[in-house]
Amino acid sequence: MRHLAIATAVAASLSAWSASNATAQTPVDYPHKVVTLVTHSSPGGGSDVFLREMAKHLPKYIKATFIVENVQGGSGARAISRLATAPADGSVFYATTPTYIYTSLLSKTQHSYKDVEPLVNFFTDSEVIYTRTDGPFKTLKDVIDKAQVSRGRWGAANPASLERQAAEQLKKAAAVFPAVVSHEGGGDLMINVLNGTLDIGVGEIPELRPQLEGGKIRLLATFDPQRMEAFPAIPTVKESGYAVVLEKFRGLAGPKGLPPAITKIWDEAVPKLLADPDYQKVYKAESLVANVIPHDKYQGFVQNFGSVTEAFLKESGVLK
């Protein structure tokens, strides 16, 4: 009888766990069977990787199929226009990063970040400085020392990116004048770091992962305010002696006028997604830090980021 009681209790416990787990895994109904996630990144770029990994896990929480569409060109301008002219019904979203703010401020675009609606933020991303493993640079100081003697060449993903601004701010803080070469995507940038055309590149862990694991590149520093949990031996730019601290936000935006029913679905689904143990393994391995900013607060966050960025660009003489 005692064994029977134990077995019954275990079965009941398993049944309750299964029911609870099934409930947690039941996706909420969505008005569209297919949702398009647009990015300005080339395949393999930071936003492309972010969307494709997220799209694998989202269907557990939102009942839809998620596809990624790469709309390259104009440092993100074409992708912003793609979103701004899409129906505001929850069928199309765009991967937001500081790039779409910089593109809007630095270029005469048909549509700007003010013409789309921030939906929700997922992560804070690390910006890192890297170089080829078989090159001459072992530390960030080595790179700065060379720039003081012979300028040098640094690389960033595209002209209107946080990576480009990170490189420009580092130049100012270190009082050096290397050429900062822009690229249309992280893949092209990586090629030029590996072949020695560039001394360093500025990028994100997700797009660097294959070359990191292959031992082809070396991390020199991070622009984070503190060292990365996954790379504790890598110093910050600030502790290396240069007062530059930057963090990259990653979220989604939709066309203006998103229905409250749609924003509510995402506000409720994203925290569940980020708590998913399977997805946590993926994004923590890429040094992404969960940072949920819901719809009602994300709009103000983006507007403030845009205002602060515009002020910095005017102060530094980039904008008149």
Side-chain angles (χ1 to χ4, degrees):
M1 289 295 292
R2 180 172 175 272
H3 290 302
L4 178 60
I6 292 173
T8 301
V10 170
S13 177
L14 287 173
S15 177
W17 178 88
S18 297
S20 174
N21 194 53
T23 300
Q25 298 296 320
T26 301
V28 65
D29 288 335
Y30 200 69
H32 305 284
K33 292 184 178 179
V34 177
V35 177
T36 301
L37 304 175
V38 177
T39 176
H40 59 264
S41 289
S42 58
S47 289
D48 178 75
V49 173
F50 157 59
L51 291 180
R52 292 185 188 279
E53 289 296 339
M54 182 179 69
K56 297 175 185 177
H57 299 272
L58 260 177
K60 288 191 280 185
Y61 304 96
I62 297 177
K63 194 174 182 179
T65 298
F66 296 88
I67 62 172
V68 177
E69 179 181 331
N70 300 86
V71 181
Q72 297 172 249
S75 296
R78 287 188 60 218
I80 297 172
S81 290
R82 164 77 171 92
L83 181 71
T85 56
D89 59 2
S91 63
V92 181
F93 295 103
Y94 166 73
T96 52
T97 68
T99 294
Y100 91 125
I101 307 290
Y102 283 109
T103 294
S104 300
L105 294 173
L106 296 173
S107 308
K108 292 182 178 179
T109 59
Q110 184 178 2
H111 298 95
S112 79
Y113 77 94
K114 296 178 181 179
D115 296 317
V116 299
E117 183 174 329
L119 175 67
V120 60
N121 193 68
F122 288 71
F123 299 112
T124 297
D125 200 355
S126 298
E127 295 287 3
V128 297
I129 299 169
Y130 66 96
T131 189
R132 70 186 196 277
T133 304
D134 58 359
F137 309 110
K138 309 300 182 188
T139 66
L140 179 57
K141 184 178 182 301
D142 293 340
V143 177
I144 301 301
D145 287 347
K146 181 197 171 178
Q148 289 174 337
V149 174
S150 59
R151 293 194 62 193
R153 290 166 62 87
W154 300 355
N158 65 59
S161 65
L162 186 63
E163 292 85 356
R164 173 62 186 259
Q165 294 305 315
E168 295 291 350
Q169 289 192 40
L170 178 59
K171 280 175 56 176
K172 183 177 179 180
V176 293
F177 304 95
V180 179
V181 184
S182 299
H183 299 70
E184 193 57 45
D188 294 336
L189 169 59
M190 177 62 71
I191 290 171
N192 285 328
V193 172
L194 291 176
N195 66 22
T197 301
L198 299 172
D199 299 330
I200 57 170
V202 180
E204 305 136 10
I205 297 299
E207 62 188 9
L208 306 181
R209 177 68 62 185
Q211 303 300 337
L212 268 176
E213 293 179 346
K216 300 294 185 181
I217 61 172
R218 172 187 295 116
L219 300 183
L220 298 179
T222 174
F223 286 96
D224 284 356
Q226 62 278 321
R227 296 191 180 200
M228 295 179 288
E229 183 178 339
F231 301 93
I234 305 304
T236 67
V237 169
K238 186 174 181 179
E239 66 182 313
S240 299
Y242 312 102
V244 183
V245 177
L246 296 166
E247 292 180 287
K248 187 170 191 172
F249 62 84
R250 285 198 180 279
L252 292 177
K256 269 197 167 181
L258 291 170
I262 293 294
T263 61
K264 183 175 184 291
I265 288 172
W266 284 90
D267 276 346
E268 293 178 352
V270 171
K272 295 175 184 177
L273 170 68
L274 296 180
D276 185 313
D278 292 333
Y279 189 41
Q280 284 187 344
K281 291 176 185 176
V282 174
Y283 70 73
K284 287 184 177 181
E286 304 297 355
S287 295
L288 293 173
V289 178
N291 180 22
V292 179
I293 306 176
H295 179 255
D296 63 342
K297 291 183 173 60
Y298 197 35
Q299 296 178 83
F301 172 88
V302 170
Q303 290 169 4
N304 181 67
F305 187 95
S307 298
V308 171
T309 299
E310 184 173 8
F312 168 78
L313 293 175
K314 286 180 177 179
E315 180 187 342
S316 58
V318 176
L319 289 178
K320 302 301 182 184

